[in-house]
Amino acid sequence: MRSGVRKYLTVSYFGELLPGSPPLIEADASTLIADDQHLIERCRSGHPEAFGELVTKYQRRLVRTLGALLGNGHDALDVAQDAFLQAYLKLESFRGEAAFYSWLFRIAWNAAASLRRKQRIRRGTSLDALREQTGIEPDDDNPASDPSHSMRISEDQQLLRQALDELREDYRTALVLKEIEGLAYEEIALLTECPLGTVRSRIHRARQDLRTILDRNLKTAER
Amino acid sequence: MSAHDHDEQLSAFYDGELPVEERLEVERLLTANAELRGALNIFTDISHRLSDLADDIPPVDLRDTVLDRIGRSVATASLPVSTPAPVSSAVNKPRFWMPLLLASASLVLLVAMVLPLIQSVQDQQILVMNAPESAPAMTMNREADRGAIDAPMAAPATTVPMTAVSPPALMADALHGQASMKEVHAPLVAHSIASHPADVGASTYSDSVDQDWTDSRLEEADDEGAGPSAFLADLERQRGLKPGEIVSHLIESSEGLWIVEFMVVDIQRGATEFEVLLKQNGIIPIGDATAPGQTESGVAATPDTGFPVIAQSPDTPLKAILVDSEINALNSAINDSQKLEEVVNWSLEPLEFSAPEALIAKESADTPNGGITAPQSLEAAAIASNRPAAMSSTAPLPPAVGAPLPARIDPADRSIATDNTPDDPASEKTSQSRGPMEEAPLAGDASRHAGRSSKAKAMADRRRPGDFSSETDQASRRPRGKGSINGNSLELPHGVEIVAELQQLQLAPEQLQHRMALRGDVFRNRGQALLPHEPQPSDNKLQSSNNPVFRIQSPDSISRNQANVFNYSNPPLTLLNTRSRQRALLVLRSAPTPPPPPEPSPLDP
């Protein structure tokens, strides 16, 4: 299924990278909420295509954050798809007390966390087993590892991406949720289920460590 | 002060998360300290670079793909379901399987639902499965609410060829006006269909499944080493299980493929919170007026709430505590935690004795006792965790709410005595016939029961985990002796105490699905999605999956058939199961042992 999805998404994802990206247009919050609620009501009244509008509206923002969290565009797209589908299937339970995107993001957040856990297990077991059985190093399907891929992004971004991947997971999570998703400390605390002080500390440490790793990797690259 | 000292504060300042006073202080320092300004510039630089990195993604267009999957999911859900197994006369309600205790002992896994995966062949529905062919049982782990059964979190890359085209593709066409069929992706990870081409069918939830049949399938799978027990144990070893997490396990049987879902429960947290609830509602510990930490019987009190401990296992975090309450107060305490009054109708049998202690657990004359006994002097008990006070939940205590559900009394319900007296050879033999999950008796029980009757002490000493006598034995030995609770004596297994008995649990399907929807689940009855009720004010609180869960079991068999689950979040205490009219005990188990299935009750619908 994953291969099928990737194949389907090849055209849109592996296409030529566009320089920069259009900024997210931040509409008035009340307008956003009212628009979302209207679309949700249409979905509930038997017009699932209205959900497509919500997908179009939030897909980029969601994939953007998931990509930073997961460090992998493929996974980000997969998780985003799954999150949208789950959101649709659970739309009846959405009460509108929070913004739709907040609710959607929480679904995606849980899905991303679950995926990372499974990847840790799979990475630890399947790769070892494969090596033992075949003596061959398994292919690394992370696009960041593809030499040609690296040529398509700036060296600076590549260093930053690598540094981000090297961060401790809880630090990276807190930093991404703050810097990319723009959540407040309290929202991050709620999402990650840890105290506010811990969030503050993790973000601070993430910045420190990121800086240290960047400096180290830059020196390594310059040699 | 150097930049290093202010680093974290500066980081919070950059994020706009400092209180006003601190922010003003930092601003003052920045004007005077170049080092600090340099540090702030670093934060700004990192922030901009991260933002640029995140924005550096190609155009994303998920709309068509998501709508395709929605179309397939909706079409699949609406397909008629045929039952692959004999359907009993039992109510068509979701089943809950027995909890499995993992080696960690701090978590209990509950089977939330057993779902038939493969339905009628005649439907000719396609279910493209991707799975390693060598794996008869695949696992899915979904931490997110399990509303979307068609949303795999991870699937192996093996693709199995389709055997037919399903209506979902037609739905997709209708959505997009496209003539060509799109590839139907596997909504679920499962066994390869190559070996079961005739069994491929639509996947959907269905509760029209005979519980005994389901239980036997699970037992078979366990016997073959591919069942939930082994799977969960492996999962716990590999990565640990998180409370509130829902784990799915696929089981293949001759009748088809089944998804068994487990919800991980944090007993410790649940026990502590329930203890807090009792105390908050004025349910005082026995001997509260005596010296702090001590009761009249000399039993040590728990450090956090003062409830005296009557039994404590050296191996598990569970312990039994005593509470002193009138039955109405207990009813009220549990009712007060109910935010949704329409969810559950339950009652506690009134107590007819004048002793200060209140009975919590009883069982009907119709359903044999599953062997729950209590020391003679124990009138009421609750389970609490052994966690120190510092580790107690930091969530605010549930506020008292008004208009609790009235406790309806069923006058036809009589308490039954299961007098497992120490000198009863039958009970002794039965209690020793427990399964492999049985554990050694509590090490410190003897001292903890100093001051109690010798009979109670002997009973406590004999406790075994999952030590439920067979219901037949129990039913046949039910004298109503003096000193027992309404003539009942209940033998409590190791680490398990009765907290409350809920009778007449009648949760209509629409109520259940409402609760499930609040948890973010899409519940289906006979394949049809059930719609939730009107919104309730506490909905969002239930969307968190990390709520501790109390498991309520019927005392007659403590079987998976009659298990009811309280989703004890803070504040609402929510009943999830719809098993009706069964007597249930609110228990927290340390080492449950599946009892034999109960005798069918004539009062069963």
Side-chain angles (χ1 to χ4, degrees):
Chain A
M1 185 267 189
R2 284 177 70 84
S3 58
V5 169
R6 287 181 184 176
K7 182 180 176 182
Y8 182 77
L9 291 174
T10 294
V11 175
S12 62
Y13 182 76
F14 289 108
E16 189 174 58
L17 294 178
L18 299 179
S21 60
L24 180 65
I25 299 174
E26 295 288 351
D28 174 68
S30 59
T31 304
L32 278 172
I33 292 174
D35 289 345
D36 289 352
Q37 198 58 40
H38 171 71
L39 290 170
I40 291 168
E41 290 305 320
R42 277 184 54 80
C43 286
R44 286 172 173 167
S45 60
H47 298 87
E49 67 276 9
F51 193 79
E53 301 302 317
L54 289 167
V55 174
T56 303
K57 193 173 180 181
Y58 293 115
Q59 59 185 356
R60 183 176 177 80
R61 180 178 173 185
L62 189 62
V63 171
R64 181 172 172 261
T65 303
L66 289 174
L69 279 174
L70 298 170
N72 184 309
H74 296 302
D75 291 342
L77 288 169
D78 286 346
V79 171
Q81 283 187 42
D82 293 337
F84 278 120
L85 180 63
Q86 287 193 38
Y88 178 82
L89 293 175
K90 292 182 291 186
L91 207 54
E92 293 296 333
S93 68
F94 176 68
R95 302 302 173 203
E97 295 172 3
F100 173 78
Y101 182 79
S102 300
W103 182 71
L104 170 69
F105 183 77
R106 189 173 184 101
I107 294 174
W109 163 262
N110 290 335
S114 176
L115 179 64
R116 286 198 79 96
R117 269 201 309 278
K118 284 195 287 287
Q119 285 176 336
R120 276 197 298 273
I121 295 171
R122 244 199 338 263
R123 202 176 300 128
T125 56
S126 62
L127 295 183
D128 290 339
L130 188 59
R131 284 194 198 94
E132 285 180 13
Q133 291 172 9
T134 65
I136 301 172
E137 284 294 328
D139 293 336
D140 182 357
D141 61 356
N142 187 342
S145 305
D146 178 8
S148 63
H149 175 79
S150 65
M151 293 173 64
R152 294 196 293 270
I153 61 174
S154 70
E155 181 180 347
D156 186 55
Q157 284 181 329
Q158 186 180 359
L159 285 173
L160 181 60
R161 190 182 296 279
Q162 288 173 354
L164 200 58
D165 284 345
E166 285 186 47
L167 278 181
R168 218 174 86 166
E169 184 173 343
D170 51 350
Y171 291 179
R172 178 177 60 250
T173 300
L175 187 65
V176 167
L177 291 177
K178 180 62 203 168
E179 292 283 6
I180 297 176
E181 189 57 28
L183 299 181
Y185 282 12
E186 192 172 342
E187 291 171 310
I188 297 172
L190 200 63
L191 195 61
T192 57
E193 297 178 342
C194 61
L196 201 65
T198 302
V199 171
R200 172 171 155 161
S201 170
R202 284 177 181 174
I203 291 173
H204 165 60
R205 291 297 304 272
R207 286 172 172 145
Q208 277 188 328
D209 291 354
L210 192 67
R211 182 70 185 180
T212 303
I213 296 169
L214 277 171
D215 289 343
R216 183 197 69 208
N217 291 352
L218 187 62
K219 288 175 185 172
T220 304
E222 287 172 349
R223 288 189 197 140
Chain B
M1 191 172 298
S2 68
H4 176 75
D5 296 330
H6 284 290
D7 253 359
E8 185 173 317
Q9 194 181 35
L10 196 64
S11 175
F13 169 82
Y14 176 76
D15 292 331
E17 296 278 354
L18 284 183
V20 173
E21 300 78 16
E22 286 188 54
R23 179 168 56 81
L24 293 174
E25 174 65 18
V26 172
E27 287 174 351
R28 187 186 64 79
L29 289 169
L30 281 169
T31 57
N33 191 321
E35 190 181 358
L36 272 181
R37 290 197 297 274
L40 189 64
N41 289 337
I42 293 174
F43 292 150
T44 307
D45 176 58
I46 289 176
S47 180
H48 288 167
R49 292 169 72 178
L50 283 172
S51 182
D52 290 343
L53 182 68
D55 285 335
D56 187 29
I57 61 173
V60 177
D61 187 7
L62 300 177
R63 182 177 183 275
D64 289 349
T65 308
V66 171
L67 289 177
D68 276 350
R69 291 178 66 179
I70 288 173
R72 277 182 273 122
S73 298
V74 169
T76 301
S78 63
L79 292 170
V81 173
S82 63
T83 310
V87 180
S88 72
S89 59
V91 293
N92 292 324
K93 291 183 171 60
R95 305 293 187 257
F96 290 82
W97 202 55
M98 280 288 288
L100 299 176
L101 179 67
L102 299 183
S104 65
S106 63
L107 299 177
V108 166
L109 296 180
L110 304 177
V111 175
M113 192 171 294
V114 177
L115 313 167
L117 179 58
I118 301 299
Q119 298 299 323
S120 168
V121 173
Q122 298 174 356
D123 292 336
Q124 289 299 306
Q125 298 305 317
I126 182 62
L127 187 65
V128 177
M129 301 296 190
N130 293 322
E133 294 185 354
S134 60
M138 295 298 296
T139 65
M140 286 194 299
N141 183 356
R142 291 177 292 154
E143 188 179 21
D145 293 329
R146 53 187 175 88
I149 62 172
D150 299 324
M153 289 299 103
T158 307
T159 301
V160 178
M162 299 187 293
T163 61
V165 175
S166 72
L170 299 175
M171 173 67 77
D173 289 349
L175 284 175
H176 305 291
Q178 298 179 15
S180 62
M181 291 295 192
K182 294 191 188 302
E183 179 182 351
V184 177
H185 301 294
L188 288 165
V189 176
H191 181 69
S192 166
I193 64 172
S195 60
H196 297 282
D199 294 333
V200 174
S203 66
T204 181
Y205 289 103
S206 171
D207 55 0
S208 58
V209 177
D210 179 71
Q211 183 60 44
D212 290 336
W213 181 90
T214 302
D215 292 347
S216 62
R217 297 289 82 75
L218 294 171
E219 286 176 356
E220 281 176 17
D222 263 337
D223 290 341
E224 295 168 5
S229 300
F231 155 68
L232 293 167
D234 283 344
L235 212 55
E236 174 68 9
R237 277 194 296 273
Q238 289 173 18
R239 61 167 179 82
L241 289 159
K242 184 180 176 183
E245 178 180 358
I246 294 177
V247 180
S248 299
H249 179 60
L250 189 68
I251 293 177
E252 182 186 11
S253 73
S254 55
E255 286 88 352
L257 297 177
W258 293 79
I259 292 178
V260 179
E261 294 195 342
F262 301 89
M263 178 163 57
V264 181
V265 176
D266 186 339
I267 290 181
Q268 289 179 308
R269 182 179 166 193
T272 301
E273 293 197 6
F274 189 79
E275 192 177 3
V276 169
L277 173 68
L278 293 176
K279 192 172 181 66
Q280 191 188 35
N281 284 273
I283 299 173
I284 61 175
I286 292 176
D288 194 43
T290 60
Q294 291 296 322
T295 66
E296 289 179 351
S297 64
V299 177
T302 59
D304 41 2
T305 65
F307 288 107
V309 177
I310 62 168
Q312 189 162 10
S313 164
D315 303 320
T316 74
L318 294 182
K319 62 185 176 187
I321 64 173
L322 283 175
V323 296
D324 184 351
S325 171
E326 295 189 0
I327 195 60
N328 289 336
L330 275 177
N331 275 337
S332 175
I334 297 176
N335 280 331
D336 280 354
S337 63
Q338 292 275 356
K339 293 298 186 183
L340 302 173
E341 295 184 3
E342 80 280 8
V343 171
V344 63
N345 298 316
W346 57 276
S347 63
L348 288 175
E349 183 128 345
L351 302 175
E352 299 172 358
F353 51 90
S354 58
E357 299 92 349
L359 168 68
I360 294 183
K362 300 166 67 175
E363 57 184 349
S364 72
D366 300 320
T367 53
N369 181 23
I372 310 292
T373 60
Q376 267 194 327
S377 59
L378 170 61
E379 305 293 345
I383 294 177
S385 75
N386 198 24
R387 293 171 62 188
M391 292 177 64
S392 298
S393 168
T394 57
L397 295 175
V401 294
L405 286 174
R408 295 212 304 271
I409 308 303
D410 181 4
D413 228 348
R414 300 184 301 113
S415 44
I416 291 191
T418 37
D419 188 6
N420 289 324
T421 55
D423 53 354
D424 184 348
S427 68
E428 188 71 28
K429 181 195 295 185
T430 305
S431 67
Q432 292 174 357
S433 64
R434 288 295 107 194
M437 294 186 78
E438 184 173 343
E439 295 178 7
L442 298 175
D445 278 357
S447 60
R448 296 189 186 281
H449 292 272
R452 295 188 175 279
S453 69
S454 57
K455 183 176 180 182
K457 176 175 175 304
M459 290 174 69
D461 288 344
R462 289 196 308 107
R463 290 178 190 166
R464 300 289 187 274
D467 190 1
F468 298 112
S469 304
S470 74
E471 47 234 27
T472 303
D473 289 340
Q474 292 292 332
S476 64
R477 295 176 286 104
R478 291 179 179 163
R480 292 178 176 268
K482 181 185 292 187
S484 59
I485 302 166
N486 270 3
N488 300 333
S489 61
L490 300 174
E491 179 179 322
L492 297 171
H494 169 81
V496 177
E497 292 289 350
I498 301 164
V499 176
E501 183 184 57
L502 306 176
Q503 302 177 15
Q504 300 295 327
L505 296 170
Q506 294 171 356
L507 192 63
E510 59 271 18
Q511 291 170 332
L512 168 70
Q513 56 82 23
H514 176 49
R515 303 310 303 149
M516 302 296 277
L518 289 175
R519 290 182 55 244
D521 298 308
V522 173
F523 187 70
R524 302 168 194 272
N525 185 18
R526 296 184 178 276
Q528 299 297 322
L530 300 177
L531 299 179
H533 280 300
E534 292 302 313
Q536 296 297 325
S538 59
D539 289 356
N540 287 342
K541 292 186 177 62
L542 296 175
Q543 285 198 5
S544 168
S545 61
N546 289 324
N547 292 322
V549 178
F550 283 94
R551 182 163 182 276
I552 302 171
Q553 289 183 312
S554 169
D556 50 8
S557 67
I558 314 296
S559 76
R560 59 203 77 169
N561 296 351
Q562 295 150 10
N564 299 294
V565 175
F566 273 119
N567 183 11
Y568 188 82
S569 61
N570 188 5
L573 183 68
T574 306
L575 183 64
L576 291 182
N577 198 5
T578 61
R579 189 68 183 184
S580 64
R581 69 158 303 283
Q582 292 299 328
R583 305 170 63 103
L585 301 177
L586 185 63
V587 295
L588 296 179
R589 306 190 59 120
S590 62
T593 300
E599 295 292 330
S601 168
L603 296 181
D604 267 336

